[in-house]
Short mmCIF file of all heavy atoms in Angstrom, two decimals:
data_model
loop_
_atom_site.label_atom_id
_atom_site.label_comp_id
_atom_site.label_asym_id
_atom_site.label_seq_id
_atom_site.Cartn_x
_atom_site.Cartn_y
_atom_site.Cartn_z
N LEU A 20 111.16 82.84 103.13
CA LEU A 20 111.37 83.34 104.50
C LEU A 20 110.11 83.96 105.04
O LEU A 20 109.38 84.63 104.32
CB LEU A 20 112.53 84.33 104.54
CG LEU A 20 113.89 83.78 104.07
CD1 LEU A 20 114.89 84.93 103.94
CD2 LEU A 20 114.40 82.70 104.99
N HIS A 21 109.86 83.77 106.32
CA HIS A 21 108.65 84.32 106.94
C HIS A 21 108.79 85.81 107.32
O HIS A 21 107.78 86.46 107.57
CB HIS A 21 108.29 83.53 108.18
CG HIS A 21 107.65 82.21 107.89
ND1 HIS A 21 106.91 81.52 108.82
CD2 HIS A 21 107.60 81.45 106.76
CE1 HIS A 21 106.45 80.40 108.28
NE2 HIS A 21 106.86 80.32 107.04
N SER A 22 110.01 86.29 107.42
CA SER A 22 110.21 87.69 107.78
C SER A 22 111.37 88.27 106.99
O SER A 22 112.35 87.59 106.68
CB SER A 22 110.52 87.80 109.29
OG SER A 22 111.76 87.22 109.59
N ALA A 23 111.23 89.54 106.66
CA ALA A 23 112.30 90.27 105.97
C ALA A 23 113.31 90.76 106.98
O ALA A 23 113.02 90.97 108.17
CB ALA A 23 111.73 91.46 105.18
N THR A 24 114.54 90.94 106.54
CA THR A 24 115.56 91.53 107.42
C THR A 24 115.14 92.92 107.83
O THR A 24 114.59 93.71 107.05
CB THR A 24 116.90 91.58 106.67
OG1 THR A 24 117.47 90.28 106.64
CG2 THR A 24 117.86 92.55 107.28
N ASP A 25 115.39 93.25 109.09
CA ASP A 25 115.08 94.56 109.65
C ASP A 25 115.73 95.64 108.78
O ASP A 25 116.93 95.53 108.47
CB ASP A 25 115.63 94.63 111.08
CG ASP A 25 115.15 95.85 111.83
OD1 ASP A 25 115.35 96.98 111.35
OD2 ASP A 25 114.61 95.69 112.96
N PRO A 26 115.02 96.70 108.41
CA PRO A 26 115.61 97.74 107.58
C PRO A 26 116.82 98.42 108.19
O PRO A 26 117.62 99.03 107.46
CB PRO A 26 114.45 98.76 107.42
CG PRO A 26 113.21 97.96 107.62
CD PRO A 26 113.58 96.90 108.64
N ARG A 27 117.00 98.31 109.48
CA ARG A 27 118.17 98.91 110.13
C ARG A 27 119.44 98.11 109.88
O ARG A 27 120.55 98.63 110.12
CB ARG A 27 117.93 98.99 111.66
CG ARG A 27 116.80 99.91 112.07
CD ARG A 27 116.54 99.80 113.57
NE ARG A 27 116.09 98.46 113.93
CZ ARG A 27 115.98 98.02 115.20
NH1 ARG A 27 116.31 98.82 116.20
NH2 ARG A 27 115.56 96.80 115.44
N TRP A 28 119.30 96.84 109.40
CA TRP A 28 120.49 96.02 109.27
C TRP A 28 121.45 96.53 108.21
O TRP A 28 122.65 96.60 108.47
CB TRP A 28 120.08 94.58 108.91
CG TRP A 28 121.29 93.69 108.72
CD1 TRP A 28 122.01 93.08 109.69
CD2 TRP A 28 121.90 93.34 107.47
NE1 TRP A 28 123.07 92.38 109.13
CE2 TRP A 28 123.03 92.53 107.78
CE3 TRP A 28 121.63 93.67 106.15
CZ2 TRP A 28 123.87 92.03 106.77
CZ3 TRP A 28 122.46 93.16 105.14
CH2 TRP A 28 123.58 92.35 105.46
N LEU A 29 120.97 96.89 107.03
CA LEU A 29 121.88 97.27 105.96
C LEU A 29 122.72 98.52 106.34
O LEU A 29 123.94 98.47 106.15
CB LEU A 29 121.12 97.49 104.65
CG LEU A 29 121.97 97.89 103.44
CD1 LEU A 29 123.02 96.82 103.17
CD2 LEU A 29 121.11 98.13 102.21
N PRO A 30 122.13 99.61 106.83
CA PRO A 30 122.95 100.74 107.22
C PRO A 30 124.02 100.37 108.28
O PRO A 30 125.16 100.84 108.21
CB PRO A 30 121.96 101.77 107.77
CG PRO A 30 120.67 101.41 107.15
CD PRO A 30 120.68 99.92 107.00
N LEU A 31 123.63 99.52 109.23
CA LEU A 31 124.59 99.08 110.24
C LEU A 31 125.70 98.26 109.62
O LEU A 31 126.87 98.43 109.95
CB LEU A 31 123.86 98.27 111.31
CG LEU A 31 124.73 97.73 112.45
CD1 LEU A 31 125.28 98.85 113.29
CD2 LEU A 31 123.94 96.77 113.30
N ALA A 32 125.35 97.33 108.72
CA ALA A 32 126.33 96.47 108.08
C ALA A 32 127.30 97.30 107.22
O ALA A 32 128.51 97.07 107.23
CB ALA A 32 125.63 95.43 107.21
N LEU A 33 126.78 98.30 106.49
CA LEU A 33 127.65 99.14 105.66
C LEU A 33 128.55 100.01 106.50
O LEU A 33 129.72 100.26 106.12
CB LEU A 33 126.78 99.99 104.74
CG LEU A 33 125.95 99.25 103.68
CD1 LEU A 33 125.05 100.22 102.93
CD2 LEU A 33 126.84 98.48 102.70
N ALA A 34 128.06 100.48 107.63
CA ALA A 34 128.87 101.33 108.51
C ALA A 34 129.95 100.54 109.23
O ALA A 34 130.94 101.11 109.69
CB ALA A 34 127.97 102.06 109.51
N ASN A 35 129.77 99.23 109.35
CA ASN A 35 130.72 98.35 110.04
C ASN A 35 131.14 97.23 109.09
O ASN A 35 131.18 96.06 109.52
CB ASN A 35 130.07 97.79 111.30
CG ASN A 35 129.70 98.86 112.29
OD1 ASN A 35 130.50 99.31 113.11
ND2 ASN A 35 128.44 99.30 112.22
N PHE A 36 131.47 97.59 107.87
CA PHE A 36 131.68 96.56 106.86
C PHE A 36 132.90 95.69 107.17
O PHE A 36 132.91 94.51 106.84
CB PHE A 36 131.85 97.20 105.50
CG PHE A 36 131.90 96.20 104.37
CD1 PHE A 36 130.82 95.40 104.10
CD2 PHE A 36 133.03 96.07 103.58
CE1 PHE A 36 130.86 94.46 103.07
CE2 PHE A 36 133.08 95.13 102.57
CZ PHE A 36 132.00 94.32 102.29
N ASP A 37 133.93 96.23 107.82
CA ASP A 37 135.07 95.39 108.18
C ASP A 37 134.65 94.26 109.10
O ASP A 37 135.07 93.11 108.93
CB ASP A 37 136.15 96.25 108.86
CG ASP A 37 136.93 97.12 107.89
OD1 ASP A 37 136.69 97.01 106.66
OD2 ASP A 37 137.75 97.92 108.34
N ALA A 38 133.81 94.55 110.09
CA ALA A 38 133.32 93.52 111.01
C ALA A 38 132.47 92.49 110.24
O ALA A 38 132.53 91.28 110.51
CB ALA A 38 132.52 94.15 112.14
N VAL A 39 131.70 92.97 109.30
CA VAL A 39 130.85 92.08 108.50
C VAL A 39 131.73 91.15 107.64
O VAL A 39 131.46 89.96 107.52
CB VAL A 39 129.90 92.87 107.62
CG1 VAL A 39 129.16 91.95 106.64
CG2 VAL A 39 128.87 93.59 108.47
N LEU A 40 132.82 91.68 107.10
CA LEU A 40 133.75 90.86 106.32
C LEU A 40 134.34 89.73 107.13
O LEU A 40 134.41 88.59 106.68
CB LEU A 40 134.87 91.74 105.75
CG LEU A 40 134.73 92.28 104.35
CD1 LEU A 40 135.96 93.09 103.98
CD2 LEU A 40 134.51 91.20 103.32
N VAL A 41 134.76 90.03 108.35
CA VAL A 41 135.35 89.00 109.22
C VAL A 41 134.28 87.94 109.52
O VAL A 41 134.54 86.74 109.45
CB VAL A 41 135.88 89.64 110.51
CG1 VAL A 41 136.34 88.54 111.48
CG2 VAL A 41 137.05 90.58 110.20
N ASP A 42 133.06 88.37 109.84
CA ASP A 42 131.99 87.42 110.11
C ASP A 42 131.68 86.61 108.88
O ASP A 42 131.44 85.40 108.97
CB ASP A 42 130.75 88.18 110.57
CG ASP A 42 129.58 87.24 110.86
OD1 ASP A 42 129.64 86.52 111.88
OD2 ASP A 42 128.64 87.22 110.05
N HIS A 43 131.69 87.26 107.73
CA HIS A 43 131.44 86.56 106.46
C HIS A 43 132.47 85.44 106.24
O HIS A 43 132.10 84.34 105.81
CB HIS A 43 131.45 87.55 105.32
CG HIS A 43 131.06 86.95 104.01
ND1 HIS A 43 131.12 87.66 102.82
CD2 HIS A 43 130.58 85.74 103.68
CE1 HIS A 43 130.72 86.89 101.83
NE2 HIS A 43 130.39 85.71 102.32
#
Side-chain angles (χ1 to χ4, degrees):
L20 300 172
H21 282 199
S22 67
T24 283
D25 190 306
R27 296 174 296 170
W28 178 80
L29 181 59
L31 179 67
L33 295 175
N35 298 275
F36 187 63
D37 284 355
V39 171
L40 264 181
V41 174
D42 180 72
H43 186 187

